[in-house]
Amino acid sequence: MSAPRTPRKVFGRLSLPERTYVADALRTETVGGVLLLVAAITALIWANVPALHDSYASVSHFHFGPEALGLNLSVAHWAADGLLAIFFFVAGIELKRELVAGDLRDPRAAALPVVAALSGMAAPALVYTLTNVAGGGSLAGWAVPTATDIAFALAVLAVIGTSLPSALRAFLLTLAVVDDLFAILIIAVFFTDTLNFAALGGAVAGLAVFWLLLRKGVRGWYVYVPLALVIWALMYNSGVHATIAGVAMGLMLRCTTREGEEHSPGEHIEHLVRPLSAGLAVPLFALFSAGVSVSGGALGEVFTRPETLGVVLGLVVGKTLGIFGGTWLTARFTRASLSDDLVWPDVFAVATLAGIGFTVSLLIGELAFEGDATLTGEVKAAVLTGSLLAAAVATVLLKIRNAKYRRMWEAEERDDDLDGIPDVYEEDRPEYHLRMAAIHERKAAEHRRMAEEKAAGRDTTTEVAGGAGAENDGPA
């Protein structure tokens, strides 16, 4: 008879390499999220202070670039179509790594984040659609609340949930990678009106050359950067959103190591480009996209207009219920059990955090209501409002269990033998127990020495006290 299969744990302990990768990625994303938050606040101040408002509009709408190549764009347009291509390039590398070396390479393990991400995009779209059907609003913005901003979410997490277990953090990161993939598909399929087939053919040919150079092992940024710029320009002029070029090139990079390699080319390039994406590209996009009016009247309209109300409800309610429901159903029907240290309210709290939809939501909002500046601004205000509400709800829910998370985090991080590897990954290794035995023997020897010195001190004190008593027998 075959041995019974061990039940699979949902949000169980990560492997050591995956834990290391997730920790590095989260560290960079968290820093990027803080910069993103600073950029968003700066944009709101710049756009709402009367003395500065005109200068914000002037800078945002200032055009530059070669007209002959169809690239005479505004600063805001360059930020959305140009700089965000770097962000999607990193997203493409992350997705490729997850598919070949991460959790998504195992279909059983991939089912959870994929179903959760799909549910977390379908539910907000449904909430938006129902809200606007009932209120007589436009259905064009159905995709606005479907995206999660991982950098912003992790920046909030860095403040409110520093002790969150690594498995939940990894789930949020993987969820966001899959979320980005489907957001890219939405942009490519639903926000491409007309196609310039000559430019599209040129972009495809450029991608083919890019792939061929990679396979031939050609090295040098001076080869790939100019080629990437040409591919991006052709993709932009084709009518397909230019960020698609970024994710396509990211997916082409090899993310598996070969003999003699410590890191794959994809991981190496991601390590170089991620700080540029998180520290420059995304904050600059936020700076020129988040500058919307936040007057009392504008904030009041967020909850009265069906389009904006649909965005807020989609982010706060749709995202949470979609991700939590998708996760629970996947665990239920695959007979997987939740990790012993966690309860389902923990998953619900992380699902609320995924309701922070900033970068891609703002981008889709611009595409969905292009040509209607007033409604575009109102939808952006709704994205900011919904993200803020989601962050507030997540703060409350995560703080309730923060003491439990801290104990779990301390257990995950404990390194008593000081070898740089957490003890939970070494408990089945004899050499770990030998090291710990030697450490305990040294501690025991030190305690014996201290006890002996203390006992010797007490004996000396007793003799001194006794001698004094013999010389003077009288009462004190």
Side-chain angles (χ1 to χ4, degrees), residues 13 165 322 362 391:
R13 185 193 307 161
L362 291 175

Side-chain angles (χ1 to χ4, degrees), residues 287-323:
L287 182 64
F288 293 107
S289 293
V292 296
S293 173
V294 291
S295 64
L299 291 176
E301 289 181 1
V302 166
F303 296 98
T304 57
R305 185 160 185 162
E307 292 89 350
T308 51
L309 180 60
V311 169
V312 173
L313 292 178
L315 289 171
V316 179
V317 179
K319 269 287 183 184
T320 303
L321 295 181
I323 291 172

Side-chain angles (χ1 to χ4, degrees), residues 203-216:
V204 172
L207 288 171
V209 173
F210 189 88
W211 179 85
L212 186 62
L213 291 174
L214 288 173
R215 290 300 169 272
K216 294 294 185 182

